[in-house]
């Protein structure tokens, strides 16, 4: 590696907080149902080689059901993911070599995460799966990127070029990069694949979960009375929605076809312009998806013409399930989501016929930027999808979508499932936590790092779950307790 830059950082301290959140209505995807989640919030302190200091924040919901679908008890899986989050936070403070956050993130991924995931499991769970481990480690990775920008007094997204990074993408991808791609990426940095002057408004995708009532006949009388809509048509009218993501079962073709038809008809009647279908890894044969698309085209061609893409129909382990999907990707945009753990899995998906990738900050900011660069260079479409990100977690999420210049906006569903969780953050960023005329507004995100403006948000934090390094608690968050 080249000689260190004066802006390279050491991570000197970190703290992990666990914030419980309860959903207002259950969220169903595939065979999984979420009615509560714990959000991991992490503060990281860094110092540059030339002596500058910065505090950064990262946050990710520990969505056990999405990242680790299994018959194991929820508690055992959750406890193991907390152990990964804790050990990951500690490990970052132990990295001795200074670097840019991308370099530190790659080093952590290769040198620490697999071992942490193995040790975090127990006799019941076994090792923590890769996707669950990435979720648990992602908040600390995000915090380092935020802290770096804060230390330099720069927007983090201005630091992904050669002025601040010793390593080019060939270095970051490492020896697994195909020889032809080594020529393609030589001398390039993540900034070369980013929109550096993005829009401050993004089209907002609304999630239609498998348990969401579509009409009054489906109401049970137990719905929350909190001022938020319950029925889909009311959501569309209130928020001016233009884009609907439809969660399907993937193992019940009649139900899936009917769901596509019903949601599509409600959407069209209320001005929705775009749809996507998410089968959540439950399909095992492309003929199932073909059958659903054929039925929709026959019964509702107007809905079919506005189906922008299909998301992750097949099991996310591409090595165990190497399903050729070229027949589907020739008729629709087919997006990897759960399968897209990192750029290496995207290369495998690309060879099988996938032509799009859904990025998520819960797989780490470092990994998302590498995946974005590889996908863009190979002509794949990009979306940025939600993990139902509340509070601070929403900010890097929408920033990534804006700078990735996605196919169509960003998924935003925390306001559907736990809007109250973000009320304090919404006092500073009102346009981010409520959709208006079908969009979210990013213009309140300003200043250094990811533009979170944490010190202006009057949120009292619980007692830290763990603290590592030489973190000075009087300087990193004045209203933390």
């Amino acid at each position: 590696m080249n000689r260190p830059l004066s802006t390279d950082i050491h991570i000197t301290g970190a703290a992990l907080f666990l914030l419980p959140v309860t959903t207002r209505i259950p969220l169903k995807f595939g065979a999984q149902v979420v009615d509560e989640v714990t959000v991991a919030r992490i503060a990281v302190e860094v110092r540059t080689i030339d002596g500058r200091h910065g505090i950064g924040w990262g946050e990710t919901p520990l969505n056990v059901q999405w990242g680790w679908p299994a018959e194991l008890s929820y508690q055992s899986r959750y406890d193991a993911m907390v152990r990964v989050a804790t050990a990951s936070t500690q490990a970052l403070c132990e990295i001795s070599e200074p670097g840019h956050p991308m370099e530190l993130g790659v080093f952590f991924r290769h040198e620490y995460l697999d071992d942490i995931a193995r040790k975090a499991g127990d006799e019941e769970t076994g090792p923590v799966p890769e996707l669950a481990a990435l979720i648990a480690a992602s908040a600390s990775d995000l915090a380092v990127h935020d802290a770096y920008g804060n230390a330099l007094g720069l927007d983090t997204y201005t630091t992904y070029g050669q002025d601040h990074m010793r390593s080019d993408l060939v270095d970051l991808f490492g020896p697994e990069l195909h020889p032809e791609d080594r020529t393609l990426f030589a001398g390039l940095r993540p900034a070369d694949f980013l929109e550096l002057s993005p829009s401050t408004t993004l089209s907002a995708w609304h999630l239609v979960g498998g348990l969401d009532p579509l009409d009054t006949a489906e109401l049970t009388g137990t719905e929350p009375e909190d001022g938020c809509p319950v029925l889909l048509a009311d959501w569309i009218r209130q928020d001016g929605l233009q884009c609907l993501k439809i969660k399907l079962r993937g193992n019940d073709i009649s139900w899936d076809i009917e769901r596509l038809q019903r949601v599509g008809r409600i959407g069209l009647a209320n001005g929705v312009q775009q749809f996507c279908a998410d089968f959540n890894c439950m399909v095992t044969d492309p003929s199932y998806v073909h059958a659903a698309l054929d039925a929709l085209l026959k019964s509702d061609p107007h809905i079919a013409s506005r189906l922008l893409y299909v998301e992750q129909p097949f099991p996310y382990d591409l090595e165990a399930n190497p399903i050729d999907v070229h027949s589907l990707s020739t008729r629709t945009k087919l997006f990897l989501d759960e399968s897209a753990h990192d750029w290496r899995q995207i290369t495998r998906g690309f060879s099988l016929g996938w032509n799009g990738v859904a990025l998520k900050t819960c797989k780490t900011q470092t990994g998302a930027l590498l995946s974005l660069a590889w996908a863009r260079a190979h002509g794949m479409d990009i979306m940025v999808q939600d993990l139902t990100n509340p509070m601070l977690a929403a900010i890097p999420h929408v920033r990534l979508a804006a700078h990735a210049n996605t196919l169509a906006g960003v998924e935003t569903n925390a306001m559907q499932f736990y809007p109250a969780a973000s009320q304090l953050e919404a006092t500073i960023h009102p346009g981010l936590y409520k959709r208006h005329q079908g969009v979210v507004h990013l213009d309140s995100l300003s200043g250094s790092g990811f533009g979170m403006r944490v010190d202006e948000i009057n949120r009292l934090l619980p007692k830290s779950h763990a603290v590592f390094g030489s973190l000075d608690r009087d300087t990193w968050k004045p209203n933390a307790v």
Side-chain angles (χ1 to χ4, degrees), residues 241-259:
L241 298 171
Q242 299 287 306
C243 309
L244 299 181
K245 176 175 176 176
I246 308 168
K247 289 286 189 179
L248 302 172
R249 291 181 177 177
N251 55 10
D252 185 340
I253 188 67
S254 297
W255 191 94
D256 285 349
I257 292 170
E258 182 183 17
R259 192 71 170 180

Side-chain angles (χ1 to χ4, degrees), residues 102 141-142 145 157 190 194 340-343 346 357-375 382 384 400 404:
M102 291 293 298
D141 178 86
L142 285 161
H145 284 258
Y157 271 93
L194 295 170
H341 296 352
D342 59 30
W343 70 272
I346 295 172
V357 58
L359 303 177
K360 278 186 167 80
T361 52
C362 69
K363 300 171 190 174
T364 74
Q365 176 80 355
T366 299
L369 293 181
L370 292 178
S371 294
L372 186 156
W374 197 95
I382 301 291
V384 170
L400 176 63

Side-chain angles (χ1 to χ4, degrees), residues 5-49:
L5 302 176
S6 64
T7 54
D8 285 349
I9 55 171
H10 286 101
I11 301 164
T12 58
L16 166 64
F17 304 89
L18 300 175
L19 287 66
V21 175
T22 301
T23 63
R24 60 184 290 270
I25 56 174
L27 167 58
K28 186 178 189 299
F29 46 88
Q32 303 289 312
V33 177
V34 176
D35 53 23
E36 63 180 0
V37 70
T38 295
V39 177
R41 178 178 290 200
I42 292 175
V44 164
E45 180 184 61
V46 303
R47 291 190 183 276
T48 63
I49 288 177

Side-chain angles (χ1 to χ4, degrees), residues 347-401:
T347 67
R348 183 182 294 273
F350 185 71
S351 70
L352 292 171
W354 298 79
N355 53 14
V357 58
L359 303 177
K360 278 186 167 80
T361 52
C362 69
K363 300 171 190 174
T364 74
Q365 176 80 355
T366 299
L369 293 181
L370 292 178
S371 294
L372 186 156
W374 197 95
R376 276 274 181 247
H378 291 83
M380 300 179 78
D381 286 308
I382 301 291
M383 282 297 294
V384 170
Q385 304 294 52
D386 208 347
L387 194 67
T388 317
N389 291 315
M391 300 180 288
L392 297 184
I395 296 175
H397 164 65
V398 298
R399 292 294 309 274
L400 176 63

Side-chain angles (χ1 to χ4, degrees), residues 180-207:
E180 292 182 4
D181 284 341
R182 299 183 77 82
T183 301
L184 175 63
F185 290 112
L188 299 180
R189 268 72 174 178
D192 294 299
F193 297 91
L194 295 170
E195 172 56 62
L196 299 181
S197 299
S199 173
T200 58
T201 61
L202 293 171
S203 297
W205 284 80
H206 176 95
L207 178 71

Side-chain angles (χ1 to χ4, degrees), residues 290-451:
H290 280 295
L293 296 180
D294 289 342
L296 187 66
L297 182 61
K298 182 178 180 179
S299 66
D300 294 271
H302 291 299
I303 301 172
S305 68
R306 297 187 185 189
L307 190 69
L308 187 62
Y309 65 96
V310 171
E311 184 176 326
Q312 194 68 54
F314 307 110
Y316 72 72
D317 187 340
L318 296 180
E319 187 171 358
N321 301 275
I323 300 170
D324 189 300
V325 300
H326 285 88
S327 65
L328 279 172
S329 59
T330 57
R331 69 180 293 186
T332 188
K333 297 180 186 297
L334 190 64
F335 273 67
L336 296 158
D337 183 2
E338 286 89 342
S339 292
H341 296 352
D342 59 30
W343 70 272
R344 295 168 297 179
Q345 295 302 315
I346 295 172
T347 67
R348 183 182 294 273
F350 185 71
S351 70
L352 292 171
W354 298 79
N355 53 14
V357 58
L359 303 177
K360 278 186 167 80
T361 52
C362 69
K363 300 171 190 174
T364 74
Q365 176 80 355
T366 299
L369 293 181
L370 292 178
S371 294
L372 186 156
W374 197 95
R376 276 274 181 247
H378 291 83
M380 300 179 78
D381 286 308
I382 301 291
M383 282 297 294
V384 170
Q385 304 294 52
D386 208 347
L387 194 67
T388 317
N389 291 315
M391 300 180 288
L392 297 184
I395 296 175
H397 164 65
V398 298
R399 292 294 309 274
L400 176 63
H403 287 278
N405 193 19
T406 61
L407 179 65
V410 65
E411 185 182 353
T412 59
N413 58 52
M415 60 277 289
Q416 299 171 233
F417 294 97
Y418 26 65
S422 305
Q423 285 180 345
L424 293 175
E425 287 74 17
T427 62
I428 305 301
H429 306 292
L432 183 58
Y433 298 97
K434 188 171 178 59
R435 303 167 299 199
H436 298 274
Q437 297 182 330
V439 303
V440 288
H441 293 267
L442 284 63
D443 50 339
S444 63
L445 303 176
S446 62
S448 60
F450 287 125

Side-chain angles (χ1 to χ4, degrees), residues 164-246:
H164 295 93
M165 295 180 63
R166 292 176 281 164
S167 302
D168 68 3
L169 284 166
V170 174
D171 297 324
L172 295 171
F173 285 129
E176 295 178 83
L177 190 65
H178 190 278
E180 292 182 4
D181 284 341
R182 299 183 77 82
T183 301
L184 175 63
F185 290 112
L188 299 180
R189 268 72 174 178
D192 294 299
F193 297 91
L194 295 170
E195 172 56 62
L196 299 181
S197 299
S199 173
T200 58
T201 61
L202 293 171
S203 297
W205 284 80
H206 176 95
L207 178 71
V208 185
L211 296 178
D212 291 9
L214 301 185
D215 57 42
T216 55
E218 296 177 348
L219 298 178
T220 65
T222 63
E223 291 77 21
E225 297 180 2
D226 56 4
C228 293
V230 174
L231 296 178
L232 175 60
D234 294 333
W235 273 114
I236 297 171
R237 288 190 287 266
Q238 174 187 280
D239 292 358
L241 298 171
Q242 299 287 306
C243 309
L244 299 181
K245 176 175 176 176
I246 308 168

